[in-house]
Amino acid sequence: MKFEAIAVENIPLIHAGDNLPSIICENIELQDRDIVIAASTVVAKAEGEIFRLEDITPGKISLEIAARAGKDARFIEAVLSRSREVLVEKPFMLVTTLSGHTCVNAGIDESNIENGFLLYPPESPDASASRLGQELEKLSGKKLSVIVTDTNGRAFKIGQTGIAIGIYKIKPVKRWIGEKDLFGKDLEITEEAIADELAGAANLLMGEGADGIPVVVIRGLDYYCDKETYIKEMYRPEEQDIIKKGLRCLQK
Ligand code: GDP
Ligand code: MN
Ligand code: MN
Ligand code: MN
């Protein structure tokens, strides 16, 4: 058993309005059931999610949080503009974004973008993954899955990893419930976070710095799913999320 992870080479610096699907297809011959994994950074750049820090005017709440946390109020304003809930203010902003993803700084990034600019993540990562997937399928004539990734930290462990924030035609979670273990016992709880595992594998080739590898193709694994799929299938239902409940208690 084996699978391949292929770095797509020769992708230029991406700017607002660039046609990412054709740039990808110019640099790799896609095959049926390939999983195309794209860093949110380049998806967002192509979508024009680039803002000048000096153009942002912080409101009252941003000024208050900035004073409490010792941060730039304009950056806080940017984070709040993409957040539906703040779970932690200090020492970092942990928020749930408008699209329902919980992460630090709403995924707003100052790395791999020119000085003085902020890169916001795609506003609707599933919609971005769908557009990318449909366009790639048109150009290549192949059946494809897409994952849009970002780098996130995890609770409890040091070190960030690539994770999925938007998906197209891939079931993000594999349910093992009802399957047997080696000794014939029923598995009762395990669900495998396939989309995050694939994102983590792709991130090994992307890196976080100047590598210039924003797209990786995973070939030889079959997670293709011929219908609309949504990243929210991976979000823990609110009523079961005891970590979020705990964080809300701490804020009070
Ligand atoms: P994120 O995880 O989505 O925040 O993306 P990163 O900022 O970690 O970048 C992931 C990979 O994409 C790294 O190899 C970067 O060097 C690369 N990258 C970022 N922007 C560009 C770009 O515009 N063009 C190219 N070719 N690579 C880029
Ligand atoms: Mn980055
Ligand atoms: Mn990022
Ligand atoms: Mn990254």
Side-chain angles (χ1 to χ4, degrees), residues 39-41 109 111-112 149-152 161-162 203 206-209:
S40 56
T41 297
D109 210 331
S111 69
N112 287 324
T149 67
D150 197 5
T151 302
N152 276 192
T161 175
N203 207 76
M206 292 178 181
E208 302 295 341

Side-chain angles (χ1 to χ4, degrees), residues 25 29-31 135-144:
C25 284
E29 189 149 340
L30 293 169
Q31 298 182 6
E135 205 50 43
L136 288 170
E137 286 184 324
K138 231 188 277 169
L139 292 169
S140 67
K142 308 293 180 191
K143 288 181 190 306
L144 304 168

